[in-house]
């Protein structure tokens, strides 16, 4: 007898969460591991956000809210899209869920029929393909290598579209590569989509505020108003406001889709935590100046990280435009032998070697759909980061 359904054969645990679990277990054993595997800012949630949550509790905002989120928060989200992205929505076009993750899951569950295709540019965030599979869709992975800046180009999009294509999924700045689209690049993709009116666009903008070198942010519904009626714009407070544990993400898009997503949410989890919603309201309506200050701090770490990795024999690292990850190639270390006598054959071998011999935790590129690469998050304190980079360089230097 087995307890698990056949659908469990389709999916696997998140590789990033698995590595984070290994880091915690090693630390419990007293091992001094430097974790570069988790995707969360090391900064604290701003004090005014925590204060708003405490006030919400004291004022009795401890009951069920509207399934799609409080009216006040949805209005603040409408205002955010208008103010920051120049895109107009109504509160009825907005849903708030337990993280961007639940938003995306709800969207696929609400929209995919068996066999519907979702175009996912690779490297991709670990959860996209598994969510599509859970919703009985078919992930169509389009490799977008370093030679094209880890970005989907219009010709690759054109080749991937079939009569079964339901969604194109975009994520920029990207997890894991940090690559971001320019306005012109988004327009070129939109021109292809204009010719395929049955294809919808889901854009995961969760790293919107973490971008570098003074680059502006563009989202496709703004750049291509012709796509507004078939675009779902996903965002959240986890990364920008250092609120990963609060679990608040949101999306805006066509009302029938939002309504269907709300029905799924109403029959599964109901509203996201009322106190977290009050906190997210404070985040979106309060002071925003610290966002650029924090992005600037991440930029300093990005530069340090890229420099150090390019200095390590066998590694090469492109400079990302945003998010707090780098996705270096480890092609140059494959085929080499470790001091323990093991030949490194894959990116998975390389990250295992880093963890076992240098106690540095990264995630192998295959988990994001592209090898031989690995992902490293530099959202940790500068001292730990410098220590980790030093250890990685040492690990590469002793390979033969
Ligand atoms: C690309 C991307 N999208 C969505 C999420 C989900 O974030 P959350 O559920 O915390 O809002 C993450 C988190 O790692 C992410 O990297």
């Amino acid at each position: 007898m087995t307890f698990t359904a056949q659908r469990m054969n389709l999916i696997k645990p998140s590789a990033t969460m698995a590595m984070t679990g290994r880091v915690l277990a090693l630390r419990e054993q007293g091992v001094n591991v430097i974790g570069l595997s988790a995707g969360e800012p090391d900064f604290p949630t701003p004090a005014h956000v925590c204060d708003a949550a405490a006030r919400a509790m004291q004022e009795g905002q401890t009951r069920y809210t509207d399934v799609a989120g409080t009216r006040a928060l949805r209005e603040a989200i409408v205002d955010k899209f208008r103010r920051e992205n120049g895109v107009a929505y109504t509160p009825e076009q907005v849903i708030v869920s337990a993280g961007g993750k639940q938003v995306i899951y709800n969207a696929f569950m609400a929209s995919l029929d068996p066999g519907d295709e979702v175009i996912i540019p690779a490297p991709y965030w670990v959860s996209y393909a598994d969510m599509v599979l859970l919703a009985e869709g078919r992930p169509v992975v389009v490799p977008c290598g370093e030679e094209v800046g880890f970005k989907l180009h219009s010709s690759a999009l054109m080749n991937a579209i079939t009569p079964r294509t339901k969604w194109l999924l975009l994520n920029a700045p990207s997890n894991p590569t940090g690559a971001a689209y320019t306005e012109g690049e988004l327009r070129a993709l939109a021109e292809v989509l204009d010719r395929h009116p049955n294809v919808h666009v889901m854009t995961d903008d969760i790293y919107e505020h973490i971008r570098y070198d003074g680059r502006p942010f563009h989202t496709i519904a703004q750049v291509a108003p012709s796509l507004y009626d078939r675009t779902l714009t996903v965002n959240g407070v986890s990364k920008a406001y250092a609120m990963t544990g609060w679990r608040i993400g949101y999306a805006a898009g066509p009302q029938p889709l939002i309504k269907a997503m709300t029905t799924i949410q109403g029959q599964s989890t109901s509203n996201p935590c009322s106190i977290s919603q009050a906190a997210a309201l404070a985040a979106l309506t309060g002071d925003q100046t610290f966002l650029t200050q924090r992005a600037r701090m991440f930029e300093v770490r990005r530069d340090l990280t890229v420099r150090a990795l390019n200095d390590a024999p066998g590694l090469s690292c492109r400079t990302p435009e945003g998010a707090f990850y780098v996705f270096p190639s480890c092609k140059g270390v494959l085929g080499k032998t470790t001091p323990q006598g093991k030949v490194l054959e894959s990116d998975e071998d390389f990250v295992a070697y880093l963890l076992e011999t240098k106690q540095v935790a990264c995630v192998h590129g295959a988990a994001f759909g592209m090898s031989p690469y690995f992902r490293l998050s530099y959202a940790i304190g500068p001292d730990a980061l410098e220590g980790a980079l030093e250890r990685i360089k040492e690990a590469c230097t002793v390979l033969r």
Side-chain angles (χ1 to χ4, degrees), residues 99-101 104 125 128 171 175 204 206-207 238-239 247 325:
K101 205 169 208 172
I104 299 166
W125 180 44
Y128 293 143
N171 167 225
N175 176 2
D204 179 350
I206 202 138
Y207 294 99
S238 288
K239 314 290 177 173
R247 309 309 302 131
Y325 310 102

Side-chain angles (χ1 to χ4, degrees), residues 4 60 64 136 296 385:
T4 52
Y64 293 132
E136 297 184 69
R296 182 70 199 120
L385 180 62

Side-chain angles (χ1 to χ4, degrees), residues 12-317:
K12 58 202 174 306
S14 151
T16 50
M17 295 207 160
M19 184 53 99
T20 304
R22 277 178 84 180
V23 170
L24 292 177
L26 283 167
R27 282 192 186 137
E28 269 167 26
Q29 293 163 26
V31 182
N32 170 21
V33 188
I34 308 183
L36 306 178
S37 57
E40 62 182 346
D42 56 312
F43 300 124
T45 302
H48 69 276
V49 173
C50 297
D51 291 346
R55 260 195 322 278
M57 277 190 280
Q58 282 149 10
E59 288 168 3
Q61 293 182 40
T62 52
R63 298 176 178 276
Y64 293 132
T65 70
D66 281 352
V67 169
T70 62
R71 180 102 196 160
L73 179 53
R74 282 181 291 128
E75 281 173 356
I77 291 165
V78 166
D79 194 52
K80 174 258 177 286
F81 280 121
R82 186 190 48 72
R83 183 181 75 230
E84 294 185 342
N85 308 112
V87 188
Y89 294 107
T90 65
E92 289 68 35
Q93 287 178 281
V94 172
I95 183 170
V96 185
S97 302
K101 205 169 208 172
Q102 194 194 6
V103 171
I104 299 166
Y105 181 70
N106 285 343
F108 287 140
M109 289 299 283
S111 64
L112 292 178
D113 282 317
D116 280 351
E117 294 176 359
V118 179
I119 297 175
I120 305 178
Y124 47 72
W125 180 44
V126 289
S127 297
Y128 293 143
D130 288 54
M131 287 187 191
V132 170
L133 289 167
L134 270 179
E136 297 184 69
R138 201 169 85 77
V140 175
V141 173
V142 179
C144 302
E146 200 172 345
E147 69 288 353
V148 286
F150 295 125
K151 291 190 260 193
L152 180 70
H153 283 242
S154 51
S155 54
L157 171 60
M158 217 142 46
N159 291 337
I161 293 175
T162 76
R164 290 306 305 265
T165 307
K166 184 81 184 223
W167 290 101
L168 162 65
L169 181 48
L170 293 175
N171 167 225
S174 144
N175 176 2
T177 66
Y181 293 92
T182 64
E183 191 175 358
E185 287 164 342
L186 284 179
R187 266 192 222 292
L189 294 175
E191 275 171 27
V192 175
L193 296 167
D194 279 336
R195 278 178 266 140
H196 294 89
N198 295 327
V199 179
H200 302 72
V201 193
M202 196 183 304
T203 174
D204 179 350
D205 296 352
I206 202 138
Y207 294 99
E208 168 179 10
H209 286 292
I210 304 166
R211 54 179 202 274
Y212 308 128
D213 308 314
R215 272 190 187 79
F217 178 77
H218 304 286
T219 193
I220 197 152
Q222 171 195 30
V223 165
S226 60
L227 299 178
Y228 172 86
D229 287 335
R230 46 185 166 121
T231 298
L232 184 72
T233 305
V234 180
N235 212 316
V237 295
S238 288
K239 314 290 177 173
Y241 300 92
M243 292 177 68
T244 45
W246 300 78
R247 309 309 302 131
I248 295 291
Y250 55 84
Q255 205 172 327
L257 174 63
I258 297 294
K259 202 168 156 214
M261 290 164 67
T262 306
T263 301
I264 293 203
Q265 185 156 298
Q267 294 291 28
S268 51
T269 59
S270 292
N271 61 273
C273 168
S274 58
I275 296 149
S276 296
Q277 289 190 63
L281 177 62
L284 290 175
T285 55
D287 171 42
Q288 307 292 309
T289 52
F290 70 94
L291 295 176
T292 39
Q293 287 159 13
R294 286 185 174 182
R296 182 70 199 120
M297 287 160 89
F298 279 132
E299 188 171 339
V300 171
R301 295 184 202 173
R302 173 202 65 169
D303 292 342
L304 170 87
T305 305
V306 170
R307 228 182 1 257
L309 291 171
N310 281 322
D311 233 18
L315 303 184
S316 84
C317 185

Side-chain angles (χ1 to χ4, degrees), residues 295-360:
R296 182 70 199 120
M297 287 160 89
F298 279 132
E299 188 171 339
V300 171
R301 295 184 202 173
R302 173 202 65 169
D303 292 342
L304 170 87
T305 305
V306 170
R307 228 182 1 257
L309 291 171
N310 281 322
D311 233 18
L315 303 184
S316 84
C317 185
R318 129 182 217 288
T319 303
E321 294 97 306
F324 37 64
Y325 310 102
V326 285
F327 197 64
S329 163
C330 55
K331 196 171 173 195
V333 302
L334 298 191
K336 293 196 175 171
T337 307
T338 70
Q340 295 73 31
K342 180 169 172 31
V343 178
L344 298 176
E345 283 171 1
S346 64
D347 47 24
E348 194 159 11
D349 283 354
F350 180 61
V351 299
Y353 165 62
L354 290 181
L355 185 63
E356 282 156 21
T357 65
K358 293 292 175 186
Q359 291 76 49
V360 174

